[in-house]
Amino acid sequence: MDRKNISCAKANANIAIIKYWGKKDEKLKIPFNNSISFTLDAFYTITKIENSSEDEFYINDTKQDEQEKTKIFNFVKNFRSDFNQKIKISSYNSMPTAAGLSSSSSGFAALTLALNKHFNTNKSIDELSRISRLGSGSSSRSFHTPFCLWKSDDDINSIGTKVDSNLDLSMIIVIVNDKKKEISSNQGMKMCVDSSSIFEKWYTQANIDSLKMISYLKNNDFTNVGKLMESNTNLMHRTTLFCETPFSYLTYKTYKVIDLIKQIRKSGLECYYTMDAGPNVKILCKKEDSYQIYEILSKTYPKDKLILSNCGKGFEVWSE
Ligand code: 2P0
């Protein structure tokens, strides 16, 4: 049998319902505030690692430039002790890369899991979440499903932990723009940390929000989960407007979607919005209402711009 010894992992992306926005330690990616996420079944990365004569890095079969490759192979050092053991890393994203659709959360989680398999490092989930965080903060939340808390803490404890809830939710993503964003989330949060006059107000409130959100999730209180998710994303996006050089990730198209969500809600179907470092809108709803809401949205938006996703089922690791 031709065994190539390919180590593979699949991880779901996660969308924050309480946002991570600002690092108090840039190198270690320790956030100013706790954040909480929901994993998505429809958004994932599959990463394959095989031995090779040289180090290589591909996303969706496209060879990545030296800058991307250097970033990824610096991360590989967390698992590879023998530098002479060269590898080829091939990642496949189910969603557009770097468009505010959380491709880096599933990307680094899948890479971390595949590296752990390939180099037989046998690290615990807590340790994998911690290491993954060093690559991309939000990826530390992709190790638990459907809800995960990432605590602002010291290096060892700033990891993802599961949040209990019996809520059965879905998310509908309305893609109003799938191009790579102009201001990366890393740049955007740094601009806010450095100069937003409401930054302290933001992270103080976000920490309060995270505690409230844990309790709403535990009590299966969807109405308050949704309302809090909206006020949290609103405050996060307001921080960008109070920078020395104000900017916004949201566009006219974003606000049109928000208006429609408010109309749907008035009609009696509960659904709530959140946005990340881009103009696309993610709508949280009960799974039982999701198809009906999707159908209403599809009267305004083409179906190829709407993605309906249930929660992720958890990561997978295997070899080929
Ligand atoms: C979040 N974002 O909580 C927030 C909301 C964007 C807006 O996590 O700089 O690419 O690599 O730690 O992981 C951006 O995600 O940021 C992000 P870095 P990352 O989902």
Side-chain angles (χ1 to χ4, degrees):
M1 198 173 76
D2 176 24
R3 270 185 63 87
K4 287 199 230 148
N5 191 22
I6 306 179
S7 309
C8 310
K10 175 182 174 179
N12 293 114
N14 69 75
I15 299 294
I17 58 176
I18 298 296
K19 305 298 183 191
Y20 147 52
W21 193 245
K23 302 174 184 71
K24 64 181 176 198
D25 185 324
E26 290 222 13
K27 193 159 174 281
L28 290 174
K29 295 196 199 265
I30 310 270
F32 270 96
N33 63 276
N34 302 337
S35 57
I36 300 176
S37 62
F38 176 70
T39 51
L40 298 181
D41 195 30
F43 285 11
Y44 58 85
T45 301
I46 291 178
T47 294
K48 301 188 171 198
I49 299 180
E50 59 198 295
N51 290 332
S52 173
S53 54
E54 57 170 329
D55 282 341
E56 299 171 272
F57 176 44
Y58 289 80
I59 296 182
N60 297 339
D61 293 322
T62 303
K63 194 169 185 162
Q64 299 297 294
D65 62 24
E66 278 306 309
Q67 198 186 345
E68 265 315 288
K69 185 180 147 186
T70 305
K71 184 171 128 191
I72 292 300
F73 278 91
N74 271 332
F75 184 79
V76 170
K77 287 179 191 160
N78 290 298
F79 294 89
R80 177 167 67 181
S81 44
D82 177 5
F83 182 70
N84 294 317
Q85 193 180 348
K86 306 292 185 197
I87 54 171
K88 177 182 177 185
I89 301 172
S90 311
S91 280
Y92 303 89
N93 289 328
S94 73
M95 63 293 210
T97 304
L101 294 169
S102 203
S103 55
S104 74
S105 69
S106 53
F108 271 96
L111 176 62
T112 298
L113 289 159
L115 287 167
N116 189 48
K117 169 99 182 139
H118 198 72
F119 293 107
N120 291 313
T121 31
N122 293 319
K123 294 180 190 293
S124 69
I125 297 300
D126 283 358
E127 181 60 358
L128 293 177
S129 170
R130 186 192 74 82
I131 295 172
S132 197
R133 185 199 80 222
L134 302 172
S136 149
S138 59
S139 71
S140 64
R141 298 184 307 229
S142 279
F143 292 82
H144 298 280
T145 193
F147 301 103
C148 183
L149 164 73
W150 167 27
K151 274 205 303 192
S152 164
D153 209 316
D154 58 18
D155 179 33
I156 299 296
N157 294 303
S158 186
I159 57 174
T161 51
K162 191 172 166 65
V163 179
D164 293 327
S165 180
N166 290 324
L167 285 173
D168 195 4
L169 305 183
S170 297
M171 214 171 234
I172 303 169
I173 292 86
V174 185
I175 300 180
V176 297
N177 186 344
D178 61 4
K179 301 287 172 302
K180 206 165 167 163
K181 54 208 174 200
E182 279 165 28
I183 301 179
S184 71
S185 52
N186 186 43
Q187 289 168 320
M189 61 178 95
K190 186 162 168 35
M191 286 164 79
C192 290
V193 171
D194 290 347
S195 79
S196 177
S197 58
I198 63 164
F199 190 72
E200 191 176 336
K201 177 182 161 64
W202 150 253
Y203 72 78
T204 307
Q205 184 61 46
N207 275 326
I208 297 169
D209 290 353
S210 72
L211 301 179
K212 281 191 188 164
M213 187 60 95
I214 291 168
S215 125
Y216 295 151
L217 287 169
K218 280 192 177 146
N219 294 329
N220 306 314
D221 179 353
F222 178 57
T223 303
N224 275 317
V225 166
K227 283 184 180 169
L228 184 58
M229 180 181 81
E230 287 192 353
S231 69
N232 182 267
T233 196
N234 288 339
L235 188 56
M236 177 203 126
H237 285 282
R238 212 167 298 144
T239 62
T240 67
L241 306 176
F242 285 85
C243 283
E244 215 163 61
T245 310
F247 66 102
S248 180
Y249 288 111
L250 313 181
T251 65
Y252 170 73
K253 290 181 181 176
T254 309
Y255 292 105
K256 294 286 283 183
V257 181
I258 292 175
D259 283 346
L260 184 52
I261 294 167
K262 288 180 179 166
Q263 275 179 36
I264 296 173
R265 212 149 65 198
K266 265 196 190 149
S267 80
L269 279 169
E270 262 196 292
C271 54
Y272 300 91
Y273 63 83
T274 188
M275 289 80 62
D276 295 290
N280 301 314
V281 183
K282 291 100 184 185
I283 304 169
L284 193 65
C285 60
K286 290 183 185 157
K287 188 178 173 185
E288 67 204 41
D289 295 335
S290 61
Y291 198 68
Q292 210 181 334
I293 296 170
Y294 177 87
E295 284 299 319
I296 296 171
L297 290 164
S298 71
K299 292 192 182 118
T300 307
Y301 297 96
K303 285 195 172 169
D304 66 342
K305 300 294 175 198
L306 295 175
I307 302 166
L308 167 57
S309 179
N310 295 326
C311 70
K313 292 179 191 72
F315 61 79
E316 290 168 53
V317 180
W318 70 97
S319 47
E320 285 178 357

